[in-house]
Each structure stands twice: as structure tokens, then as C-alpha cells.
Amino acid sequence: HHQPSQQHHQPSQHHHQPSQKHHQPSQQQQQKEASVGANPRPPPPASWAADANNDVAVYFITVHPGGTFTLPPSKIGADGNRHAYFFEGDVVAFDGRDIPAKSAVELDAGVEAKVSVPASASASASLMVLQGRPIGEPVAQHGPFVMNTREEIVRAFSDYQRTRFGGWPWPEDAVVFPKDKGRFALLNGTETRPPNAAAGAKEEL
């Protein structure tokens, strides 16, 4: 529900604005050197992300050895937060500055950021980038629960222990479904699916 706080992720890095004189790769060249996840579904209409003025975005980026990808500036500039999570690969650099594997960095959302992997790298680098305007509300977090106050956290634990949030119809906590099952809900023993989603169909997420 909340954009990550700037105090939650270490190490924090400060990145200079790239020189305007360097060569900008074409879109076709960037597609060969890096890949970005599929276009997402629209956000819930009453959510923070539904307001374009908040410029909420989630990027899944894979940069191949010898490749580069340039993140554009946020539409709201420095008013937005932007964090990058380097979760897979050996080496990646932001604006020429190497980032340790399995780390998170804070970026200046007001300027573009050039993500690159050297040609000598043994594997591609995968990253997740989260950005958006801060909601400006207090954040309380414990385990999987994120609320505004500690009292709400306590109430959420109590609700979960009492109702399991409506019940859990499967025999184990970590159920894994086949990749081709698609999106569905199970309530009172009946499966329902989104409109135009056939059983067994694969969905583009």
C-alpha cells in the first residue's frame, strides 16, 4: 500500500546526472540489450496508483552482458521516490557506478539513470524498480502486515488469528499452482475467474 520509505533500504547511493553529450541508444538497440516485463493491468480505480499525478510504476528489468538500459526521469521529478532492487546476477552499474549484488539503492527520480552490465559479466542482471509519489502517511509494519499505526497492526493480527481472513481452503500454507492455471478465486468450494479468462488459460501479467 505504501511506497518504500527512504530510510528502509541500505546502502543508499547518490547518483550524478548523466552527461547530455553521451550517445543515446535507439529503442531497438535497448530491446536487444535489455528486456522489461509485460505491460501491467490497470490499477484499482480507487488506488493511489490510479492517479497519474502520483506516477506509480513498477519495472522488472533484465540487462544482458554488454547491454544498457536507461530509466527515464519520473514525470513528477524529484517529488517522487525511486528505489532499485538488484536481486539476480553478478554485477550491475548505475551511471557507471557498480552496485553490490543482492542490494537496494535509492535513485534520484528527477533524472534518468543508465543501467549497464559489462560484456565480461557471466550472467544477466535482473532488477525491480519501484517509484511513485510518497503517500505522506505514517507507516507501521510487522511481518506481512503494513498499516498506519501499531494499533492497526495488532488488530490485523487479531483478525487473522480469528478468521484467517475468510478462511484458507487448501491443506497447506504454501500452495503452488500450475503455471497455466491462470487467475482465480475459490470461495465456498466454487472457483470463479475474471471476465474473459478461460479455465487453464495463461494470462499476461
Side-chain angles (χ1 to χ4, degrees):
H1 296 192
H2 300 277
Q3 290 300 315
S5 170
Q6 294 184 4
Q7 288 82 27
H8 289 177
H9 306 284
Q10 295 295 331
S12 177
Q13 301 288 341
H14 299 282
H15 303 281
H16 66 276
Q17 185 170 5
S19 168
Q20 298 300 317
K21 296 181 180 179
H22 66 61
H23 170 69
Q24 289 290 340
S26 66
Q27 183 176 6
Q28 184 177 12
Q29 181 181 353
Q30 285 208 104
Q31 288 175 345
K32 292 180 179 178
E33 297 176 350
S35 56
V36 182
N39 290 332
R41 295 178 180 276
S47 69
W48 187 256
D51 186 344
N53 292 322
N54 297 325
D55 198 26
V56 175
V58 179
Y59 297 91
F60 287 96
I61 304 168
T62 298
V63 184
H64 308 300
T68 61
F69 181 82
T70 302
L71 276 169
S74 168
K75 296 175 183 177
I76 58 175
D79 288 340
N81 286 345
R82 177 180 280 176
H83 290 80
Y85 302 85
F86 176 25
F87 62 89
E88 189 173 280
D90 300 322
V91 60
V92 72
F94 281 88
D95 300 327
R97 189 170 187 173
D98 289 344
I99 303 301
K102 310 295 185 189
S103 64
V105 295
E106 179 184 340
L107 304 174
D108 183 348
V111 298
E112 69 178 23
K114 183 178 180 182
V115 188
S116 60
V117 174
S120 59
S122 60
S124 300
S126 294
L127 308 99
M128 179 175 68
V129 177
L130 302 179
Q131 75 172 40
R133 187 188 302 278
I135 293 178
E137 296 181 359
V139 178
Q141 182 268 334
H142 190 97
F145 299 108
V146 180
M147 309 295 284
N148 293 118
T149 66
R150 292 298 302 174
E151 291 75 15
E152 290 176 337
I153 291 287
V154 172
R155 188 163 63 248
F157 268 102
S158 176
D159 290 344
Y160 175 73
Q161 292 167 352
R162 180 170 49 85
T163 69
R164 301 278 289 185
F165 291 157
W168 187 254
W170 292 282
E172 54 187 284
D173 289 340
V175 180
V176 178
F177 298 102
K179 290 183 178 180
D180 60 355
K181 185 170 180 61
R183 187 177 299 177
F184 74 98
L186 178 63
L187 181 63
N188 298 326
T190 302
E191 284 191 6
T192 58
R193 295 178 177 274
N196 304 320
K202 216 171 185 180
E203 295 185 81
E204 292 295 330
L205 301 178

